[in-house]
Every structure is written in C-alpha cells, then in structure tokens.
Amino acid sequence: MKLVRYGKPGKEKPGLIDADGKLRDLSAVIKDVTPDQLGDAALAKLRKLKTDKLPLVRGKPRMGCPVAGVPKFIAIGLNYADHAAESNLPIPKEPIVFTKATSCIQGPDDDVMLPKGSVKSDWEVELGVVIGTRARYVSQKAALDHVAGYCTINDVSEREYQIERGGTWDKGKGCDTFGPIGPWLVTRDEIANPQKLDMWLDVNGKRMQTGNTKTMIFSVAKLVSYVSQFMTLEPGDIITTGTPPGVGLGMKPPVYLKKGDVMTLGIEGLGEQRQTVVPFKL
C-alpha cells in the first residue's frame, strides 16, 4: 500500500495510490496520515478498503511529506563504505547518529532553498524508514516488526556548516527545506527486502549517485535496534539511513548546488522526487 498526503502546504489531505497508479482520496476514512495510523492494526483496516470505491483525485496535485506530524527525524551518517571513502573518513565501528530538524521536512517536489551565505550545499539520496509501533530496546530480529514502511529521502546537507563550523553535524543538516520526503510511504509488506533496493540521483540530468541498499554497512534492522537503545522510537519517527557514493563533497574538485540546479532522485519501488534549487529568502 502506498500512502500519500496531497495538496497545498499545511492543507494536505490523506490519500493512497491504487493498483493502477491513480491517486485516491482517503479523507472520508481518516483525517490524515498521522502517527496513530501507522500501527499494524490501523494499516490492516486501510488494506481492506475497496480502493476503486474511493474518490479519484484528478490532475497532479502537489505531494507533501507522506506522514503528518513526524515526532523525530533521525539520520545515520557514513553508512556506505564507498561514501565514507569519498569523504576521506574511516568506516564507522558503530552507526553514526544525528538529527535533522523536523522543521526541514517538506514535500518531495518542493523547492530546496540554499541557506543564507551557503556555498557548499550538497545532495544525498537515502532510504527512509518510518516507525509504526513503539520501539525501545528492541532486538535486531524483531526490529522490522516495528517498521510501518519505507520512503525516499533527499538528505540535503550544507557541508561548511556540517564540517567546518564546529560542533555536531546537525547544524548542516536541518536547514529549512533540507528534508524532502516521499512521494509515498510504502508499507513494509510491499518491500520484500529493504536491503535490495536500487537508488539513484541526478543533478541537471547528469547521474551523480548510483547505489543499492545491499551495500549498507549497518542494515535497516540493525539501525532500528541500535537507535532504540538510545532513545524510544515512536510511531511516525523517521530514520534516514545513509547515502551511497556520488555526493558533491566527494568529487574532485567538489561540486555543490547552485541556484537553478534541478535534483531528481528515486529508490526502487518507493517513487521519485524532483527539486529545483532556489536562493535564500526569509
């Protein structure tokens, strides 16, 4: 099942994508795709719906983040060995955990705004994991039972803020518009193995990143279990799991985003995104 939220920012309606790829309105069934709709029981009820009876949404409305009211936006750094190498950093012995501000979350095709004074903004296609049921000190074996589904994320990053200005990575990761998520939340029953998904990202039509989640250092199950040892994962929390090689930072010389650039990216089975880079404005 592919759950979505569509409409103008702040006024999104719940929907789903049917078997024919058409958008159907869920407003008469649920008020929104909120964290309390992500548990197994709630999702099972939605699966029983006769989708052909749901109202068809005409046109191509804007897609928002497929989950409303995300409680925590957690990120994993250097989770692909070849990306660590291009960043001139050692392969981590344990997952590197940081946070992206929830205020950076936006729809998959919304513009990405360069922060004030930014000269090193970068791209990162990543697999997103959406938590469905509360996870606290869960085992790796049971970890995926706590996952509602998966989505495509662009972990946009300002490298100067992240690396050169001291402190943690967070300051380069949570700038406004730096968290495009979606277009869909694909429930875990449709993803047989989250460790076998192709992923890619282009800038201005040129392929920059090509990868597969099979090359993750730490698997999705390992990450959910690991993070749950340090914080309780609640329904609606999103973990973005690291990026394959091909980021601007790793190029020789480095290449960074500028006004007018267009990023397109996608993950197998999880849909595609497209963002235009725009200059800073209040």
Side-chain angles (χ1 to χ4, degrees):
M1 185 166 53
K2 297 180 176 68
L3 296 175
V4 302
R5 297 174 64 248
Y6 68 95
K8 295 181 179 179
K11 297 182 178 180
E12 292 91 347
K13 295 180 179 181
L16 60 77
I17 306 298
D18 68 17
D20 296 321
K22 296 178 180 178
L23 174 59
R24 300 280 179 169
D25 182 24
L26 276 176
S27 297
V29 182
I30 57 175
K31 290 183 178 180
D32 207 343
V33 184
T34 52
D36 60 356
Q37 296 293 335
L38 300 178
D40 289 346
L43 292 175
K45 288 181 180 180
L46 294 178
R47 286 192 194 93
K48 292 178 181 178
L49 294 172
K50 294 182 179 180
T51 55
D52 60 338
K53 303 297 183 183
L54 296 171
L56 188 65
V57 180
R58 305 292 181 181
K60 294 184 178 180
R62 168 192 174 269
M63 291 293 175
C65 173
V67 179
V70 174
K72 294 192 291 293
F73 194 5
I74 302 154
I76 307 299
L78 302 178
N79 197 29
Y80 290 73
D82 33 14
H83 173 55
E86 73 174 351
S87 301
N88 294 314
L89 293 168
I91 295 174
K93 295 180 180 179
E94 293 190 39
I96 295 172
V97 180
F98 59 96
T99 60
K100 287 178 74 77
T102 55
S103 56
C104 82
I105 292 173
Q106 64 170 17
D109 301 326
D110 294 342
D111 291 344
V112 165
M113 180 178 68
L114 296 173
K116 188 175 183 179
S118 169
V119 293
K120 295 184 179 180
S121 288
D122 204 349
W123 55 84
E124 294 190 7
V125 59
E126 304 198 2
L127 171 66
V129 180
V130 182
I131 300 300
T133 56
R134 193 170 187 261
R136 183 170 179 260
Y137 292 101
V138 298
S139 68
Q140 188 169 331
K141 183 177 180 180
L144 295 187
D145 294 339
H146 295 266
V147 172
Y150 304 94
C151 55
T152 301
I153 294 178
N154 189 354
D155 176 20
V156 187
S157 309
E158 214 299 342
R159 303 302 188 188
E160 181 185 17
Y161 299 1
Q162 175 190 357
I163 300 169
E164 301 174 32
R165 297 187 63 175
T168 64
W169 289 4
D170 303 52
K171 66 177 69 173
K173 294 287 191 168
C175 304
D176 290 349
T177 76
F178 271 24
I181 300 176
W184 316 314
L185 163 59
V186 182
T187 52
R188 74 171 188 269
D189 58 297
E190 291 199 9
I191 304 299
N193 186 348
Q195 303 307 149
K196 289 186 177 180
L197 302 176
D198 288 329
M199 53 206 308
W200 58 273
L201 182 145
D202 295 349
V203 178
N204 300 328
K206 181 180 179 181
R207 183 59 45 91
M208 297 298 189
Q209 291 186 274
T210 302
N212 188 288
T213 56
K214 67 183 178 182
T215 64
M216 282 184 180
I217 299 169
F218 305 107
S219 69
V220 170
K222 172 65 176 179
L223 293 174
V224 172
S225 174
Y226 183 86
V227 174
S228 80
Q229 315 301 310
F230 301 97
M231 65 189 81
T232 299
L233 294 172
E234 301 286 357
D237 285 347
I238 296 179
I239 303 174
T240 188
T241 58
T243 197
V247 300
L249 172 68
M251 298 187 176
K252 301 184 185 304
V255 176
Y256 295 113
L257 295 168
K258 62 185 185 301
K259 173 186 173 182
D261 284 345
V262 176
M263 295 178 282
T264 51
L265 57 144
I267 299 178
E268 180 183 355
L270 301 182
E272 299 182 5
Q273 300 184 354
R274 182 184 188 277
Q275 300 109 27
T276 299
V277 178
V278 298
F280 173 81
K281 63 179 179 180
L282 287 174

